[in-house]
Amino acid sequence: MFIPITSTVSVAPQISADDVAAAAAQGFRTIVNNRPDGESFDQPAGAEIAAACAAQGLDYVAIPIDHTGFSLEQVEAMAAALANGPVLAFCRSGTRSCNLWALAAAKGGIAPAEIVEAAGQGGYNVAGLMPLLRQLAGA
């Protein structure tokens, strides 16, 4: 269920409070929620995931991404969360989480081609972000 993107970053579709224990057992230190509360009637509330993280000794960071897209503030928040890895980021399908990781990685100086390759190995196509990745990377 957890899809590795790099050795320290994985993404996932919606997780449950029960999945938090599995994440802790796999060595994750931080869980990032990229899904706004109330996006779907069947998703657990962020507070429920946050409580499960606290019970497992994991950091929980909420960086909700909605239909309006990504902001620089969200990219910077993700970059800060990545500093406390290994990180598991989730949303409805994992795509927003992977895209936000890609943007934060570029801002952190990782080469855009490496980012596209890493995401691709996880089954995600971030090539459409290439112009923005280059801009954030200063390339």
Side-chain angles (χ1 to χ4, degrees):
M1 172 174 188
F2 306 149
I3 303 158
I5 302 299
T6 71
S7 62
T8 60
V9 178
S10 293
V11 298
Q14 178 67 57
I15 65 170
S16 69
D18 292 339
D19 295 322
V20 173
Q26 291 182 32
F28 291 101
R29 292 181 56 201
T30 300
I31 292 185
V32 176
N33 180 355
N34 295 131
R35 196 164 188 201
D37 271 344
E39 185 176 63
S40 173
F41 71 91
D42 61 346
Q43 79 186 78
E48 182 182 338
I49 303 296
C53 287
Q56 292 292 326
L58 300 179
D59 288 337
Y60 172 84
V61 180
I63 310 171
I65 307 294
D66 63 18
H67 68 280
T68 60
F70 303 94
S71 69
L72 184 56
E73 180 178 274
Q74 291 165 322
V75 172
E76 290 171 344
M78 184 64 154
L82 293 173
N84 191 33
V87 171
L88 172 64
F90 74 91
C91 59
R92 187 187 62 76
S93 68
T95 300
R96 281 176 281 186
S97 295
C98 187
N99 288 346
L100 186 57
W101 161 79
L103 297 170
K107 183 146 178 46
I110 297 177
E114 290 179 41
I115 293 167
V116 171
E117 182 179 342
Q121 289 178 4
Y124 294 95
N125 182 353
V126 298
L129 296 174
M130 187 59 87
L132 190 50
L133 296 175
R134 287 186 179 123
Q135 182 181 11
L136 287 168

